[in-house]
Amino acid sequence: MTIIASQELTIAALLDVPEADRDLEWVAPSLSLALSLEMATLPPYLAMLWSISDEGPAKSMIWSILEDEMCHMGLVCNMISSLGFKPPVIASVPKYDGPLPGGVSPKLIVHLAPLSKSYLKDVAMEIEMPEKPLAEATGFPTIGKFYEALREALERIRPVFKGERQLTSSIGSGVTPIRNLAEAVAAIERIATEGEGTTSSGCADPGCTRLAHYYAFGSIYHGKTFEKKDGKWGYTGAPVPFPAVRPVARIPSGGWSGDVPQKVRDFRVVYRQMLQDLEEAWAIGSKEKLSAAIRAMRGMTSIAEAIMTIRVPGQDKVYGPDFLI
């Protein structure tokens, strides 16, 4: 059974449901929304990554964040599949410009643009904002609060995890099978920690080998690594030079129109095929389809780089991929 993805579903509406009524019929659409949230980060983060024209710590940090987001998407798909549903991958893809799924940071309209300090501060860091400061500043439900509610609901209702159509991948911290409640809870906690850190740490893992996404983006923005020094966290660590960035134009809302370059159309075809391969991979539990999706992702990189050599008519900017499907 495929979960019906709804772009109108909000975290606030889900959290308004009394805890006692948060059954499997509440969990299923909640997981669909979680999938939409994870999918929503990939195009804007890829657009930033591909716009960077040199190597360095900033590019490495963004690539690490992207690997985590792809890993999170896989973990959510495994949870959905293990509960007996089929992940609605294609239906979970949002449109740009547009809000984040679920009413997260409702004033934020996510657009596709190259890396810049303003994009880091106003878009990327807003997406990954930790629960406590975001809740204090706005009063609306956060991603962290949503995942906490999802974990609590699973622990209360203890649904049957069938362990069907589970796929694995070494990307990020690793896509692992979700065969029981303990593995589902561990996956939810990993997703939340890698994005936001914890209330006492900016780390994405117990060994602090990586920063949580919010603090990694903040390190690029501030030009120094977020670290704990003399008992306090702050942007006081190793320098993070701001990288050279290609002069990519902001992608028009709704994507490029008119007589667009062939490479832009080629990218759309490969992107659509990647999404189809992902959906089919979890629909039937196919490692081969997942491998095909990963190959398509690699192909998207080379096409995106080719797109960013083509100048937009009448501008001193170049095209960028618009992620239309």
Side-chain angles (χ1 to χ4, degrees):
M1 184 191 317
T2 302
I3 298 174
I4 303 299
S6 173
Q7 298 293 340
E8 286 74 41
L9 188 65
T10 68
I11 291 176
L14 288 167
L15 295 184
D16 278 344
V17 175
E19 290 185 17
D21 295 333
R22 295 176 188 176
D23 54 12
L24 188 59
E25 292 184 0
W26 182 91
V27 167
S30 295
L31 283 171
S32 174
L33 177 53
L35 178 58
S36 294
L37 284 166
E38 301 304 334
M39 296 292 293
T41 66
L42 296 178
Y45 293 178
L46 281 168
M48 283 195 297
L49 178 78
W50 288 332
S51 72
I52 299 173
S53 61
D54 61 7
E55 301 298 324
K59 189 171 186 177
S60 296
M61 285 177 171
I62 295 175
W63 174 240
S64 178
I65 290 168
L66 270 160
E67 285 191 314
D68 281 345
E69 297 294 358
M70 288 184 275
C71 172
H72 298 170
M73 184 273 297
L75 289 170
V76 173
C77 284
N78 273 349
M79 270 187 271
I80 292 172
S81 298
S82 194
L83 287 171
F85 301 98
K86 292 181 181 179
V89 174
I90 296 175
S92 297
V93 178
K95 293 180 173 61
Y96 304 96
D97 301 2
L100 283 175
V104 175
S105 193
K107 293 183 180 180
L108 172 63
I109 300 299
V110 181
H111 61 279
L112 302 177
L115 177 68
S116 67
K117 287 208 169 186
S118 62
Y119 196 87
L120 282 169
K121 181 176 182 293
D122 298 335
V123 179
M125 293 176 71
E126 280 291 318
I127 292 173
E128 303 287 356
M129 185 76 74
E131 179 183 346
K132 184 176 179 181
L134 189 58
E136 289 178 349
T138 65
F140 55 79
T142 67
I143 296 174
K145 187 69 175 176
F146 168 60
Y147 272 117
E148 179 185 351
L150 182 55
R151 173 184 59 77
E152 290 173 349
L154 289 173
E155 290 178 325
R156 185 178 58 80
I157 66 175
R158 305 184 71 83
V160 175
F161 287 88
K162 302 177 181 180
E164 297 175 348
R165 304 188 312 279
Q166 299 298 285
L167 297 176
T168 61
S169 171
S170 60
I171 196 165
S173 53
V175 179
T176 54
I178 309 294
R179 298 160 296 199
N180 52 53
L181 177 61
E183 290 176 345
V185 168
I188 289 172
E189 291 177 346
R190 175 147 59 105
I191 291 169
T193 301
E194 288 179 345
E196 302 180 2
T198 68
T199 56
S200 61
S201 171
C203 300
D205 58 352
C208 207
T209 61
R210 296 173 297 121
L211 288 170
H213 301 172
Y214 176 80
Y215 300 106
F217 282 138
S219 296
I220 302 170
Y221 177 78
H222 290 282
K224 287 190 176 182
T225 306
F226 192 69
E227 67 169 10
K228 191 173 186 180
K229 186 176 182 180
D230 299 327
K232 295 182 179 180
W233 286 93
Y235 295 101
T236 58
V240 183
F242 201 82
V245 177
R246 296 179 175 92
V248 182
R250 171 174 169 162
I251 308 303
S253 182
W256 299 106
S257 60
D259 187 18
V260 299
Q262 181 61 45
K263 287 295 182 183
V264 172
R265 296 195 292 272
D266 292 344
F267 182 93
R268 294 170 182 171
V269 171
V270 176
Y271 178 52
R272 187 182 307 114
Q273 185 61 56
M274 184 205 70
L275 294 172
Q276 290 173 345
D277 287 337
L278 283 175
E279 182 146 315
E280 290 180 29
W282 267 280
I284 60 177
S286 170
K287 181 70 174 179
E288 291 73 22
K289 282 291 183 181
L290 180 59
S291 296
I294 293 171
R295 288 195 300 272
M297 170 68 79
R298 292 179 181 140
M300 285 164 54
T301 299
S302 60
I303 299 173
E305 290 175 346
I307 290 171
M308 291 183 291
T309 65
I310 306 171
R311 193 163 296 278
V312 179
Q315 298 186 32
D316 58 355
K317 302 286 187 179
V318 296
Y319 283 94
D322 58 11
F323 292 89
L324 286 187
I325 59 174

